[in-house]
Amino acid sequence: MQFYISDSWQTLLADEFQKPYFEHLQAFVESEYKHFKCYPPINELFAAFNHCPIEKLKVVIIGQDPYHGPGQANGLCFSVHDGVAFPPSLQNIFKELEKDMELPIPIWGNLERWANQGVLMLNATLSVREGQAGSHQKQGWETFTDAVIQHISDKKEHVVFLLWGGFAQKKGAKIDRNKHYVLQSGHPSPLSANRGFWFGNKHFSKTNTYLKELGIQEIDW
């Protein structure tokens, strides 16, 4: 599997790439992309890292699985390629952003603009087979992304972690709350949002307030 991950992450995660589980994962992903249509495109597999080098990291958003429909996934959790209709969770993210920050709903759902400012948009599983949600789970991606979160918790300070829904909260359970700012709410999916667990969490403004208090450039959401 030919992939590129930026130098800062390559250095931080060097040990992970040498472990047996990652060798298995690499072989699995290589075979899947060779024999099936998979997402995101292979050159965007590590887009979350390449748009957000470790030295620029301010915020981590944890997702679960890439979108598995044609043209949707672009390597960033909750994000879609330009011109693609907003999936329901992304619609609700933008609705909360509109209420919280008084910002208009964007034209496009591509969140590279967040990633380029230091927001790591990290899915727990970085690939998926077309039309088969969860098809690349339990092959090593979760071990890898757990390690990423642990390295960030251990090596960085004052990172904002946005944990939306039970899955993200469980995945972020070991984050050092004494060093980092952790915000939790329901998931932006319609099932959770319509029950009152998402709207009104004000995570976007709370993130910026925290960064501003530390003298760190806020995110232009």
Side-chain angles (χ1 to χ4, degrees):
M1 179 173 64
Q2 297 298 313
F3 64 83
Y4 169 76
I5 187 167
S6 61
D7 291 344
S8 61
W9 289 107
Q10 186 77 244
T11 300
L12 184 70
L13 302 170
D15 289 347
E16 295 302 313
F17 297 133
Q18 305 304 317
K19 291 180 179 179
Y21 86 85
F22 197 86
E23 293 179 7
H24 164 81
L25 172 63
Q26 186 169 348
F28 169 78
V29 172
E30 210 167 54
S31 176
E32 285 287 297
Y33 273 80
K34 181 178 179 181
H35 295 104
F36 303 97
K37 183 70 174 175
C38 297
Y39 301 116
I42 192 73
N43 64 316
E44 294 179 332
L45 202 56
F46 290 92
F49 301 92
N50 296 332
H51 283 284
C52 179
I54 187 71
E55 61 271 15
K56 288 178 61 177
L57 180 65
K58 302 175 185 177
V59 181
V60 178
I61 299 177
I62 297 175
Q64 188 165 359
D65 212 39
Y67 298 124
H68 53 83
Q72 291 181 306
N74 69 350
L76 312 177
C77 68
F78 297 107
S79 176
V80 293
H81 283 113
D82 289 341
V84 175
F86 301 165
S89 291
L90 186 56
Q91 290 182 34
N92 286 334
I93 288 171
F94 287 152
K95 287 177 183 177
E96 174 59 25
L97 183 59
E98 181 183 39
K99 292 179 181 179
D100 183 18
M101 301 290 291
E102 298 183 353
L103 293 172
I105 301 283
I107 297 173
W108 307 122
N110 191 334
L111 302 180
E112 287 179 5
R113 60 187 180 277
W114 295 3
N116 291 335
Q117 297 177 74
V119 182
L120 181 67
M121 314 286 297
L122 183 66
N123 271 319
T125 304
L126 299 189
S127 60
V128 69
R129 194 187 295 183
E130 183 178 49
Q132 298 185 36
S135 51
H136 287 187
Q137 292 177 2
K138 299 180 181 177
Q139 296 293 334
W141 278 132
E142 295 92 339
T143 303
F144 174 71
T145 51
D146 280 347
V148 170
I149 293 166
Q150 194 62 54
H151 278 299
I152 293 170
S153 179
D154 293 345
K155 302 296 172 83
K156 297 282 288 185
E157 291 184 343
H158 308 305
V159 174
V160 182
F161 287 86
L162 304 183
L163 307 182
W164 298 339
F167 177 86
Q169 289 161 25
K170 184 177 180 180
K171 196 163 180 71
K174 294 182 180 179
I175 296 165
D176 187 343
R177 264 76 168 170
N178 294 317
K179 294 171 59 182
H180 305 287
Y181 186 40
V182 179
L183 292 170
Q184 300 185 168
S185 77
H187 194 275
S189 67
L191 183 64
S192 173
N194 294 338
R195 291 179 176 176
F197 301 130
W198 166 254
F199 292 117
N201 65 29
K202 298 187 181 298
H203 280 188
F204 303 104
S205 60
K206 289 177 180 178
T207 294
N208 278 358
T209 297
Y210 177 77
L211 295 175
K212 186 176 182 179
E213 288 174 350
L214 291 171
I216 300 170
Q217 180 67 43
E218 300 157 72
I219 304 299
D220 181 4
W221 300 106

